[in-house]
Amino acid sequence: MKRLVLAGAGHAHLHVLRTLGAARWPGVEVVLVTPYPRQIYSGMVPGWIAGHYRLEDCVAPVLPLAAAAGVRVVQDAVCAVDAERGHVTLAKGGRIDFDVLSLDTGAGLAMDEGLSDHPGLLPVRPLESFVTRWERALATLLDDAQARVAVIGGGAAGVELALAVAYRLRRETGAAVQRVTLACGGGLLPGHAPGVVKRARAALARQGVELVEQRVRAGTSALETEAGTPLAAAWVIAASGVGPPGWLAQSGLALAPDGFIAVGQGQQSVSHANVFAAGDAASRIDAPHAKSGVYAVRAGPVLSGNLRRALEGRPIEAYRPQRRSLYLLATGPREAIVSWGQVAASGRLAWRWKDWIDRRFMRQYQPASQRGQPT
C-alpha cells in the first residue's frame, strides 16, 4: 500500500478528490491535510460581498468530497516538509509519511511592514478568516456612516474588492458618500491592457472609490501615504501580492526565484520526482505565468493523472499552461470587465458570462441542495 498525501484543498486538489470519487486508485491510501472543512472559491467572494451570492454558493464542502473519494482527512495545516525523508509535519503536532506528496496549500500575503499592527486589518488570506472578519466589519460600517475602508493592492483582487465594498455600502445605506479608498502603489491592474485599466478607472469613479496611486504605510497613529498624507480607515483590506510560506525554505525542495516550489511540466518538482505542486504554492520555471486561480483549475486534471502515474511508477504527462488567461473582473453591480490580452470589454453580459463560469465550476463540487439559483 502506497500513501499519497494531499497538502491543502486548493482548486487542483478539489479535482483530485472528484477523480477519486469516480474511481479509487488500487493499492493507494490517500490522506488530505487541510485546516478547514470547506474551500471558499475566491473568484466569487467579491460577488458575495456585493450581495449577489450567499456564502454557501461560494463554498465547496471538502469533507463530503473526501468521504466519497475514500480519502482520510486530517484537519490541520502542514507547517514543514522534509522532502528527503518523505514526511510532512503538522501544526498541531505529529507527522505523516508519504510515498508521493502533492502541495496545493496556496500562498501567504505579502504586506508592507507595519500594516499588520492596524486594529482593523482584514487580510484576504486565508479566506476562511477573511469572510468571518468581513461580516463583523460590515456590521460596524453599517452602524457608523463615517467609517471608511481602505483596500491595499491594485491587482484584480484589490480592484474587485474595493468595488464590491463600495457598491454594498451604497446599496445598504442609500447614501452616495465616498467611503472606500483603493491604494495601489504598484499601479492599477499591472499587466492588463490599457483598455481594461481605463474601464476599471471608470468603474471606480462610478462607485465613488477614491483612488490613491501611492504606497501606504502605517503612520504614527494611522495609515498614511508614502508622501505623508493621512489616510482614514477603520478597516483595511489587505489584497496585496502573495508570498511563500516560511517553511518552504527548509523543505529541501528546489525553489523558484520567487520562493515558491519550482515545478516543471506535469507540475512535478524539479528536484524530487515524488513531489508535485499546483496553485499559488507552485511556480512553473519552464512556463512562467501569473498566480491566478485559472491556472490552478486547469492544472487539476493533469495533476490528478500524474499523481496516479507517479504512484504506479509510470512516466508523467507533460502539461503546458496557456500563454494568457481570461479575466472577468466584477465591478460591484451585476457588471464585469473582460480582460483577454489586449481585448477589453465590459457590461452586464460580461457579468452573466462570469456568473455562468463560476457557478458551473462550483457545481462540480456541491451537493444539489447547496447550489444557488442563477442571477
Side-chain angles (χ1 to χ4, degrees):
M1 180 72 71
K2 291 188 176 180
R3 178 180 289 159
L4 165 64
V5 172
L6 304 173
H11 299 338
H13 280 178
L14 289 179
H15 187 89
V16 175
L17 293 178
R18 185 163 169 259
T19 300
L20 287 165
R24 311 281 175 85
W25 298 344
V28 178
E29 176 197 12
V30 184
V31 180
L32 171 66
V33 181
T34 177
Y36 308 113
R38 62 185 186 179
Q39 176 69 16
I40 300 173
Y41 177 42
S42 59
M44 294 177 75
V45 168
W48 168 71
I49 288 176
H52 306 318
Y53 300 122
R54 306 169 302 163
L55 186 57
E56 308 92 85
D57 298 332
C58 315
V59 167
V62 173
L63 299 185
L65 285 169
V71 171
R72 177 163 66 94
V73 177
V74 177
Q75 276 194 241
D76 203 341
V78 169
C79 66
V81 170
D82 189 326
E84 294 299 327
R85 292 182 175 84
H87 65 252
V88 298
T89 302
L90 307 179
K92 296 177 184 176
R95 74 184 196 189
I96 302 175
D97 296 330
F98 62 80
D99 294 289
V100 174
L101 170 66
S102 183
L103 293 146
D104 190 10
T105 54
L109 194 65
M111 283 192 298
D112 289 341
E113 188 177 352
L115 285 179
S116 57
D117 296 330
H118 192 285
L121 183 67
L122 299 170
V124 296
R125 295 169 182 262
L127 269 177
E128 194 69 45
S129 299
F130 173 73
V131 298
T132 301
R133 293 177 180 179
W134 168 249
E135 288 177 324
R136 292 199 296 265
L138 178 60
T140 65
L141 288 165
L142 295 178
D143 285 341
D144 182 358
Q146 303 303 312
R148 293 182 57 90
V149 179
V151 180
I152 312 298
V159 170
E160 286 190 293
L161 290 170
L163 288 166
V165 171
Y167 173 78
R168 181 68 177 272
L169 292 178
R170 287 183 167 212
R171 196 187 77 168
E172 295 285 348
T173 65
V177 179
Q178 188 180 70
R179 299 180 63 186
V180 180
T181 299
L182 175 62
C184 50
L188 183 65
L189 292 175
H192 290 266
V196 174
V197 178
K198 180 179 178 180
R199 283 170 167 78
R201 287 185 184 277
L204 292 165
R206 284 195 302 272
Q207 294 304 322
V209 176
E210 178 189 18
L211 183 60
V212 176
E213 297 187 66
Q214 296 183 50
R215 294 195 181 278
V216 171
R217 63 195 180 200
T220 54
S221 59
L223 295 182
E224 63 181 27
T225 67
E226 58 188 351
T229 304
L231 188 65
W235 298 96
V236 178
I237 297 176
S240 46
V242 297
W247 51 262
L248 272 183
Q250 287 77 45
S251 66
L253 295 167
L255 303 181
D258 60 8
F260 290 95
I261 303 163
V263 297
Q265 57 184 356
Q267 302 303 123
Q268 187 179 44
S269 163
V270 299
S271 60
H272 292 75
N274 65 332
V275 177
F276 295 76
D280 287 349
S283 289
R284 284 288 295 262
I285 60 171
D286 60 323
H289 56 73
K291 291 194 178 298
S292 164
V294 174
Y295 292 102
V297 171
R298 295 288 180 87
V302 72
L303 175 67
S304 181
N306 281 339
L307 289 175
R308 183 168 187 179
R309 292 182 183 91
L311 288 159
E312 295 173 351
R314 295 187 287 131
I316 67 165
E317 185 178 78
Y319 157 69
R320 190 164 188 86
Q322 68 268 35
R323 292 178 57 190
R324 66 181 70 164
S325 63
L326 171 69
Y327 290 87
L328 294 166
L329 310 178
T331 58
R334 288 187 172 92
E335 298 176 359
I337 299 171
V338 179
S339 176
W340 169 252
Q342 294 302 306
V343 176
S346 57
R348 290 183 176 273
L349 283 178
W351 164 263
R352 292 178 65 182
W353 188 14
K354 173 178 170 56
D355 178 64
W356 178 77
I357 289 173
D358 288 344
R359 289 186 185 274
R360 183 184 63 168
F361 172 67
M362 293 306 291
R363 196 174 295 121
Q364 304 173 82
Y365 309 111
Q366 295 174 333
S369 60
Q370 185 175 317
R371 299 171 194 160
Q373 296 301 312
T375 55

